[in-house]
Amino acid sequence: MPSTASVKRDWLANPRADILAGMVVALALIPEAIGFSIIAGVDPRVGLYASFSIAVIIAFVGGRPGMISAATAAVAVLVVPLVRDHGVEYLFAATILMGILQGIAGLLRLDLLMQYVSRSVITGFVNALAILIFMAQLPQLTGVGWETYALVLAGLAIIYLFPRLTRAVPSPLVAIVVLTSITIWFGIDVNTVGEMGELPKALPSFLIPDVPFTLDTLRIIFPYSLTMAAVGLLETMMTAQIVDDFTDTGSNKAREMRGQGIANFVTGFLGGMGGCAMIGQSVINVKSGGSTRLSTLTAGIFLLFLLLILGPLVAQIPMPSLVAVMIMVSIGTFSWRSIKDVRRHPWQSSVVMLSTVVIVVWTHNLAAGVVIGVVLSGLFFASKVRRMFTVTSDLSADGASRTYHVTGDIFFASSDRFAEAFDFKEVLDTVVIDVSSAHFWDITGIGTLDKAVLRFRREGTHVEIVGLNEGSASMVERFAIHDKPGADAQLGGH
C-alpha cells in the first residue's frame, strides 16, 4: 500500500504542470500513432487504441514516473510480415504474448543487464534517435508549398521565444493552438492530422483474438512476440535511463519491465498493437514540465478525449505545427556536447558512440545499434585490460631459481601473453610464479596456468605458485588440474 508521501511525490508534486504537459503529449501522440499504424499495415485505430491503453496503464504500474509509453515505430516495423501474412488478429495475439514475456523478464530482473551498457552507447542511442525523429518529419517537408515552411518556422519561433514571456503554459501547446487557429481562420491549405487517417469514434472494446488456439499459432507468433518484447524492453530501459538523467532522479526498472508487460498484455485484448517507452514523447513531457505519473495518465486520457469528443477539431490541426514540435524534440534530444567530446574522449569511446549512431540510422533498428555498441565496448575493455597485464622476472644469485612476478588480470584475452611470458627451455631447479598482484578471472586463465605448470614439470623444473588471493585460490581449487592426480594425462587428453 503506497504511503501518502509517495502518492503525493508520484502523482501530485506539480498537478498543473503535469496536466498541461500531458495535453501537449496527447496532441503529439495522434499523428505518431497513426503513422506507426500505417507502418505496421493496420487500421489507425490499432495504433491510437494502443497509445491510449499503454499510456493509461503504465501510469499506474510503470517504474519511471513522467515517462511516456505508447505505440512505437520500433515495434511497428517488426510486425509488418506478421500482419501481411496472417492478419491483424495474430498481431493482437502476439501483443498479448509479448506482454507475458516482458512480465517474465521483469521477474527475472533482466533490467540488471543495463549495467553493461556504457555511457558511449547511450549517447549514441540518443543521438541516433534524435536523427531518426528529424528524418521522420521529412515526408511532411517535401513536395509542399511555402506555407508549410512558414508555419514550421513560426511554430519553432513560438516554442523557443514564448518561454521568455511566461512558462505558465508549455510553449509547444501554445504553438499548436496558435497555428491551428491561424490555418482555420485564414483557410491555409496545408496537411492536417485528419489527412493522416480516420480517427476512431468509439471506445476500444474487450476482445479475444480470433486465432486458433493451437501450437501452430504459437509457432507463428512466438518469434514475433519474443522480438517485440526484447526491442520494447531495450528501448524502454534506455529511455528510462535518459529520463533519469534529464530529471536527475532514479527509477525502478524492474517494476517498469513488469509494467510494460501488463500494459501490452491488456492492450492486446483491447485491439491494440504492442508498444514501449517513447524517448521523443518523454522529452516533450519533461521539457513541458511533466514529471509525475499524472502527466502520463493525462496524456492517455486526453488522447481519448481528443479522439472521441474533439475529433473534428483535432482533424484540422496542421501537421506543420506538430512537425515544429518534433523538430524541437529532435534538437533537444541530440547530445550536442558529444560532438566536442569526439576529439576529447578516448578514441575507443568515440568509435562506440559513432558506430551506434551509424548502425541505428542505417538500419532503423535500435536494438541492432545498441548490441553493436555493447559488443564494441566489451572488446575495447578487454583489450584495455589485456594491455595492463605485465610479467617480469628475476634470477636468483646461484642461477638455480627464477621468480616470475605477474601483475594484472588473467582471463581469456590475456592468457596468451601469460603463457608466452615463460621461458620453458631455461635450465632451472625451481620456478616461482608470484601472482600476489594478479587475479584469475575465468577457466581460460586457470587452464593456461595448468599448461605452464605442467610444461615446466616436463622439463624437470619444480614449480611454486605464491600469492594467490582468495578469489583466485577458489578458482584454482575448483578448476585447476595441475595439483590433482593424473594431471599430465588429463591435459594431454585435450
Side-chain angles (χ1 to χ4, degrees), residues 300-342:
I301 297 293
F302 194 63
L303 171 63
L304 194 64
F305 174 78
L306 288 172
L307 297 175
L308 301 183
I309 308 300
L310 301 180
L313 181 59
V314 170
Q316 297 182 65
I317 293 176
M319 284 304 298
S321 65
L322 298 176
V323 169
V325 173
M326 297 311 294
I327 290 176
M328 177 272 290
V329 171
S330 175
I331 295 172
T333 302
F334 195 91
S335 175
W336 299 98
R337 182 177 177 180
S338 65
I339 297 176
K340 292 182 179 178
D341 291 341
V342 166

Side-chain angles (χ1 to χ4, degrees), residues 48-101:
L48 290 166
Y49 284 157
S51 294
F52 155 72
S53 171
I54 295 173
V56 170
I57 295 172
I58 208 69
F60 292 96
V61 300
R64 173 60 259 185
M67 186 168 70
I68 304 298
S69 296
T72 60
V75 175
V77 297
L78 299 175
V79 301
V80 174
L82 177 66
V83 175
R84 182 190 60 216
D85 298 338
H86 301 283
V88 71
E89 295 291 334
Y90 280 78
L91 171 61
F92 301 150
T95 301
I96 293 170
L97 182 56
M98 170 192 181
I100 294 173
L101 294 175

Side-chain angles (χ1 to χ4, degrees), residues 132-297:
L132 289 182
I133 291 171
F134 181 80
M135 290 173 63
Q137 312 313 311
L138 295 181
Q140 295 293 332
L141 296 172
T142 53
V144 296
W146 65 268
E147 298 90 345
T148 296
Y149 301 112
L151 288 173
V152 171
L153 291 175
L156 288 171
I158 294 173
I159 289 171
Y160 285 108
L161 297 178
F162 187 78
R164 297 188 179 187
L165 299 177
T166 176
R167 293 182 180 273
V169 182
S171 60
L173 180 60
V174 175
I176 294 171
V177 171
V178 169
L179 295 186
T180 301
S181 302
I182 290 174
T183 53
I184 294 176
W185 182 265
F186 293 101
I188 299 175
D189 184 20
V190 293
N191 291 334
T192 62
V193 170
E195 295 173 19
M196 295 286 291
E198 185 181 357
L199 302 177
K201 299 175 182 175
L203 288 169
S205 56
F206 179 84
L207 59 84
I208 296 177
D210 184 17
V211 298
F213 291 93
T214 63
L215 284 177
D216 286 340
T217 300
L218 184 61
R219 275 194 286 267
I220 292 172
I221 66 173
F222 185 79
Y224 289 99
S225 299
L226 185 62
T227 309
M228 292 160 65
V231 170
L233 289 180
L234 181 61
E235 185 165 349
T236 297
M237 292 298 101
M238 299 288 278
T239 303
Q241 186 63 51
I242 292 165
V243 176
D244 288 353
D245 293 343
F246 273 160
T247 60
D248 198 22
T249 57
S251 57
N252 186 335
K253 294 184 175 60
R255 178 178 174 179
E256 182 61 36
M257 273 194 173
R258 296 192 299 272
Q260 291 286 328
I262 294 170
N264 282 306
F265 178 78
V266 175
T267 297
F269 286 109
L270 295 177
M273 59 193 290
C276 61
M278 307 176 74
I279 177 64
Q281 301 295 341
S282 298
V283 171
I284 290 177
N285 191 44
V286 172
K287 288 187 174 294
S288 299
S291 61
T292 73
R293 299 179 186 277
L294 182 60
S295 61
T296 309
L297 178 64

Side-chain angles (χ1 to χ4, degrees), residues 120 124 127 338 342 349-360:
S120 299
N127 289 347
S338 65
V342 166
S349 298
S350 298
V351 168
V352 170
M353 189 274 287
L354 293 173
S355 298
T356 304
V357 172
V358 170
I359 296 297
V360 171

